[in-house]
Amino acid sequence: MSCRMNPAFLPKRCNLAYRSVKVRPALTSVCTIFVGAVSKQSAQFKNMHGSPSFSCRLRPQRIVVAWFALLLTFAPALPAAIIGTNPPAQPLTAERIAALPRAQQPAWKEYLKRSTKQLRADQAFLQAEMRKHGIQQPVVPPSGRSVRSMPLNRPASWYGESEARRIADIMVSFQTPAGGWSKNLNLTQHQRAPGEYFAPNNDSRHLGQADFDMHRDAHWDYVGTFDNDATITEMRFLAKVIAAAGTNQSTSYRKAFMHGLDYIFAAQYPNGGWPQVWPLQGGYHDAITYNDNAMLNVLTLLRDVSGTNGEFAFMPKKYRARATASLQRGIACVLTTQITVAGCRTVWCQQHDALTLQPASARNYEMPSQTAAESAELMMFLTEQSAPSPEIVAAVNAAAAWFEKTKIYDLAFKSDNDDGRRLVSAPGNGPIWARFYEIGTD
């Protein structure tokens, strides 16, 4: 198959269906790449689309099809058979680093050493608290949907009121020694007490044998993570409180925000990606994680910090410069991890191996595959770059072509109180996309 982009093949506007809970409001508007200043680049872009701009409108709907549901819908009734095996993702280890080219090893060895040292420091902090206060058993904090306790859509004045500050104080108390936050914390109840864990019980409810979600340490997991919007939501909330409170009344909040940025910088891999959990936890958590927009949330925060956004006016210049450099390395990682099939770029996997950058599995039912939701978000993020490079333009064109190629019509994914969710015939519906696509066959 030729990789040449046919203007007729790439619509100027493509409607993408999403899981509604993960759609960013900004994506509902028309996003346009303007190549503009670079004449050669602009001409190439115009040749591809018949216009020097490329527009994509996203509808905030659910991703309404699952790959397994498609198989169940269209496959004939046949006896069950094993058609493949989902390999577990490989963690970042000293042994794997030793197999890298010699020139690459020092940066990765230093990274792994830093992660291990920070993990021990985080755990030692809790143990020291327990000894000091004579606590025999750590307390598990209240769980809940963290993002619901940290609203980011209130009027600016609300963040200067007592309720916002109360939440910010609780938030600061649960910041890990490394500088991040766990997920699924209820940050409306109380400040963290000495001897209280930094994370609630995040264990999976239905673990089975050889489950990829089995944690290395059942008492210490997701202690610092970007999963489920964690860490980034806390930092955005703090920035709003800082902007409303003013310099003289936000010292502790500014200190926590800066510590959070240091956490982001420390967690970034030498190749520009970010793991799901840091300090590293092993398993699929070590993979470069696009799932649930984990890495994308980091990138958008760094973009806002490095720019002139009013909420981040308190940022020192040296932090803005570090954020800019970190952002560019992250974008380079996004471009490098775009999946190539038969010489043609397509989209992205939910996770990519930290060292090889190849698509990787996560939980047992999450195979190395092309994923629609996260790929669309990444594509839209790339369109928002103010001065897109030729590499970014090519990546967006390729991803848009893949979405055009794989769209589905005349089906809908409906919820039924009795039978659960399933695919049904829906003439005229669409386009919709599956969550996972097999690499190589779509």
Side-chain angles (χ1 to χ4, degrees):
M1 175 182 175
S2 172
C3 294
R4 181 180 297 277
M5 299 302 165
N6 186 337
F9 188 62
L10 296 178
K12 296 180 181 178
R13 179 175 296 170
C14 52
N15 293 316
L16 304 180
Y18 273 75
R19 288 177 290 183
S20 59
V21 294
K22 304 307 293 182
V23 175
R24 290 180 289 133
L27 295 181
T28 62
S29 61
V30 177
C31 301
T32 307
I33 290 182
F34 290 101
V35 181
V38 184
S39 58
K40 180 179 180 181
Q41 182 177 338
S42 182
Q44 292 174 341
F45 203 82
K46 185 171 183 179
N47 289 337
M48 289 179 181
H49 299 283
S51 167
S53 68
F54 172 75
S55 301
C56 274
R57 183 184 298 276
L58 301 180
R59 295 183 306 181
Q61 301 174 356
R62 296 182 179 179
I63 277 193
V64 292
V65 202
W67 179 244
F68 69 89
L70 286 173
L71 293 177
L72 291 176
T73 301
F74 298 112
L78 296 173
I82 297 175
I83 61 173
T85 302
N86 188 20
Q90 296 300 303
L92 181 64
T93 63
E95 292 75 18
R96 294 191 69 203
I97 292 174
L100 292 173
R102 188 176 298 274
Q104 298 179 20
Q105 292 182 24
W108 285 98
K109 287 180 178 178
E110 192 280 329
Y111 180 94
L112 186 59
K113 179 181 178 181
R114 183 172 70 247
S115 174
T116 302
K117 182 180 178 180
Q118 187 61 62
L119 173 62
R120 292 171 180 168
D122 289 357
Q123 294 175 333
F125 182 93
L126 177 62
Q127 293 164 1
E129 276 188 337
M130 294 173 63
R131 288 193 300 269
K132 180 179 179 180
H133 295 274
I135 299 171
Q136 299 299 317
Q137 184 66 33
V139 177
V140 178
S143 62
R145 186 66 175 173
S146 296
V147 293
R148 293 177 181 172
S149 62
M150 300 174 285
L152 301 179
N153 58 353
R154 300 291 179 86
S157 59
W158 182 85
Y159 296 94
E161 298 176 3
S162 59
E163 177 61 12
R165 292 194 183 194
R166 186 184 73 84
I167 294 172
D169 289 337
I170 296 173
M171 190 180 298
V172 171
S173 74
F174 275 98
Q175 188 174 28
T176 70
W181 281 268
S182 184
K183 67 175 183 176
N184 300 331
L185 274 168
N186 186 330
L187 295 173
T188 64
Q189 293 196 13
H190 63 259
Q191 293 189 34
R192 180 181 170 274
E196 190 170 10
Y197 282 125
F198 290 95
N201 183 354
N202 283 310
D203 288 342
S204 297
R205 296 180 180 179
H206 306 289
L207 287 175
Q209 291 185 347
D211 200 304
F212 296 171
D213 227 11
M214 194 78 70
H215 301 306
R216 183 169 56 190
D217 184 348
H219 300 290
W220 196 271
D221 64 309
Y222 292 101
V223 182
T225 182
F226 303 112
D227 192 28
N228 287 12
D229 302 322
T231 297
I232 304 305
T233 303
E234 282 86 349
M235 294 179 67
R236 287 193 177 278
F237 188 94
L238 286 174
K240 290 178 179 295
V241 173
I242 293 167
T247 304
N248 296 331
Q249 301 182 50
S250 60
T251 301
S252 63
Y253 307 142
R254 285 187 284 114
K255 181 179 179 181
F257 187 94
M258 301 299 186
H259 195 26
L261 271 182
D262 288 332
Y263 173 84
I264 289 173
F265 298 147
Q268 189 172 25
Y269 280 137
N271 57 22
W274 276 272
Q276 184 193 60
V277 177
W278 197 85
L280 296 178
Q281 186 171 308
Y284 69 82
H285 308 287
D286 291 3
I288 294 170
T289 304
Y290 298 131
N291 188 33
D292 290 339
N293 298 327
M295 180 166 154
L296 180 61
N297 289 339
V298 177
L299 292 174
T300 54
L301 177 69
L302 292 174
R303 177 197 62 194
D304 294 344
V305 167
S306 62
T308 57
N309 189 310
E311 290 182 351
F312 302 99
F314 64 92
M315 289 298 305
K317 289 184 178 180
K318 67 175 183 179
Y319 270 92
R320 290 187 186 276
R322 290 187 68 187
T324 300
S326 181
L327 170 64
Q328 294 308 313
R329 289 170 55 213
I331 291 175
C333 180
V334 171
L335 297 177
T336 304
T337 51
Q338 191 171 18
I339 298 169
T340 299
V341 176
C344 299
R345 291 187 183 186
T346 60
V347 286
W348 292 266
C349 185
Q350 285 188 164
Q351 297 80 210
H352 289 255
D353 185 88
L355 294 178
T356 68
L357 303 183
Q358 293 302 303
S361 63
R363 289 165 289 190
N364 296 59
Y365 57 86
E366 295 172 319
M367 296 160 286
S369 56
Q370 295 162 134
T371 183
E374 286 80 1
S375 292
E377 294 274 11
L378 287 169
M379 181 182 72
M380 292 306 301
F381 170 77
L382 292 176
T383 70
E384 295 166 358
Q385 304 312 300
S386 59
S389 65
E391 292 78 14
I392 289 177
V393 173
V396 170
N397 284 337
W402 183 88
F403 277 111
E404 179 69 11
K405 173 186 174 185
T406 57
K407 60 187 178 181
I408 302 167
Y409 286 97
D410 301 323
L411 291 172
F413 205 42
K414 299 291 186 180
S415 295
D416 187 298
N417 293 332
D418 296 324
D419 299 330
R421 295 177 297 173
R422 58 178 180 172
L423 272 177
V424 298
S425 176
N429 188 55
I432 58 176
W433 283 262
R435 179 179 180 183
F436 299 134
Y437 289 80
E438 183 181 36
I439 298 171
T441 65
D442 296 327

